[in-house]
Amino acid sequence: MKGRRVAAVHTGAKGLRSPFARDFKRRLTGAKVLSCGRRAKYLLIGLDTGDTLVLHLGMSGRVTIIDPDKSYKKGRHDHLTLIFDNGCRIVLNDPRRFGMAFVEQTARLNDYPAFRVLGPEPLAPGFTGKKLVAALAERSAPMKNILMDQRIVAGLGNIYVCEALFYAGISPLRPAGQVSVVEASRLVSAIKKVLRAALKAGGSSLRDYRHADGSPGYFQTKLAVYDREGQACPGCRCDISRTGGIRRIAQGGRSTFYCPRRQT
DNA sequence: CTCCTGTCCTGCCGGC
DNA sequence: TGCCGGCAGGACAGGA
């Protein structure tokens, strides 16, 4: 898409989380794409107008790129379509409309409220156990909730938090301030490992929800604890008929899956 | 400031 | 068989 110019913009009537800004289409039309990037869970499309198109997929959002010669049947929940000068199209489809799409001045991106407070990228070299343990200090909230907080580390969601805590052997219930630097280092390694594995496998979409190019994410078949209530965790040596296997609890209104015997 | 709860939205699934 | 309640996810608002 780099180097292509936006020829036309179509938006759905309903908008996403919030309605499209009044000048949304105007600021995109005619703009040339300079860069495509990502920050936390936000997709960033840099334009030659000094603006950046920011997209967020929420949970059910899907961005599909359609080649000029390919036919495309308009989806019921298509909310944004960019048509480029070469006939290529980008479609943002989101049944639950939890996603976002807005234009912001590139130079002011970091002033955007959600961006300003964003924590470190989990895959960046600077994200270390030492840094993490400092961010956890004095915090009484459970580790699960803390890792879901994008201000602590940016880009983890419910599935990967559950998985990383399992591989680190840390209970999701543990008060964050009680995590040692050794444990935090183990957790950082686990987070990086889980994310790299998921990326390699093509994401973790559940059920019929698919990933960027329309193909399903296959990582869910490799998940250790998420959505595996009552099952044995990988390498489990306990008698699950007696222990009940992987446990599911609610934290912050979300499901947490963990092994109470191997995560302390 | 931290922590916690409720809200948004739609489709799917389980239970009656 | 059909209907309906509950649940899933990420961000954020607002109250304690």
Side-chain angles (χ1 to χ4, degrees):
Chain A
M1 221 49 58
K2 232 177 265 185
R4 307 284 21 150
R5 209 170 272 282
V6 178
V9 180
H10 297 160
T11 54
K14 277 185 163 179
L16 292 159
R17 171 187 295 280
S18 34
F20 289 103
R22 206 184 300 272
D23 59 355
F24 182 80
K25 282 191 192 183
R26 181 181 61 71
R27 286 172 75 171
L28 291 178
T29 307
K32 194 206 283 185
V33 174
L34 295 183
S35 63
C36 297
R38 177 194 64 80
R39 174 76 172 107
K41 299 174 188 173
Y42 299 84
L43 302 174
L44 306 175
I45 300 173
L47 307 168
D48 69 345
T49 53
D51 282 335
T52 292
L53 170 62
V54 183
L55 303 178
H56 193 298
L57 301 181
M59 173 229 168
S60 55
R62 188 190 302 183
V63 168
T64 309
I65 299 172
I66 303 131
D67 291 332
D69 54 326
K70 293 274 163 55
S71 71
Y72 175 75
K73 196 170 160 232
K74 187 173 161 22
R76 183 171 166 210
H77 301 291
D78 291 353
H79 301 294
L80 172 64
T81 304
L82 300 184
I83 301 164
F84 290 88
D85 53 2
N86 65 345
C88 199
R89 279 164 295 174
I90 291 182
V91 177
L92 172 59
N93 180 287
D94 185 1
R96 292 179 198 174
R97 293 173 46 219
F98 269 29
M100 302 180 210
F102 59 90
V103 175
E104 181 64 83
Q105 290 178 49
T106 305
R108 287 202 187 163
L109 261 190
N110 289 328
D111 297 336
Y112 184 72
F115 279 39
R116 202 176 44 221
V117 294
L118 230 36
E121 287 289 329
L123 290 177
F127 180 57
T128 62
K130 219 172 162 181
K131 282 269 174 60
L132 179 58
V133 84
L136 302 180
E138 310 291 314
R139 303 293 296 264
S140 62
M143 277 307 288
K144 167 68 187 306
N145 305 44
I146 290 283
L147 289 181
M148 292 287 284
D149 186 340
Q150 304 299 297
R151 294 169 296 187
I152 302 291
V153 52
L156 300 183
N158 201 34
I159 296 176
Y160 299 132
V161 167
C162 290
E163 294 294 295
L165 284 170
F166 169 75
Y167 287 112
I170 298 170
S171 168
L173 296 162
R174 181 102 72 87
Q178 292 178 15
V179 169
S180 72
V181 67
V182 172
E183 290 173 312
S185 300
R186 224 160 57 211
L187 182 53
V188 165
S189 301
I191 288 169
K192 291 175 193 270
K193 167 189 152 151
V194 165
L195 290 183
R196 290 208 174 95
L199 283 168
K200 199 175 167 193
S204 300
S205 56
L206 295 173
R207 300 198 179 91
D208 64 323
Y209 293 113
R210 289 168 185 255
H211 262 249
D213 61 353
S215 66
Y218 287 105
F219 190 62
Q220 75 272 25
T221 60
K222 296 177 185 170
L223 295 176
V225 289
Y226 185 84
D227 207 21
R228 294 194 184 280
E229 183 182 17
Q231 299 178 34
C233 52
C236 178
R237 289 204 279 168
C238 70
D239 175 8
I240 63 164
S241 68
R242 193 174 54 77
T243 63
I246 292 164
R247 188 173 298 173
R248 172 205 193 119
I249 58 173
Q251 289 181 289
R254 295 269 106 85
S255 282
T256 298
F257 298 86
Y258 75 112
C259 173
R261 290 159 297 283
R262 295 170 72 192
Q263 293 177 252
T264 55

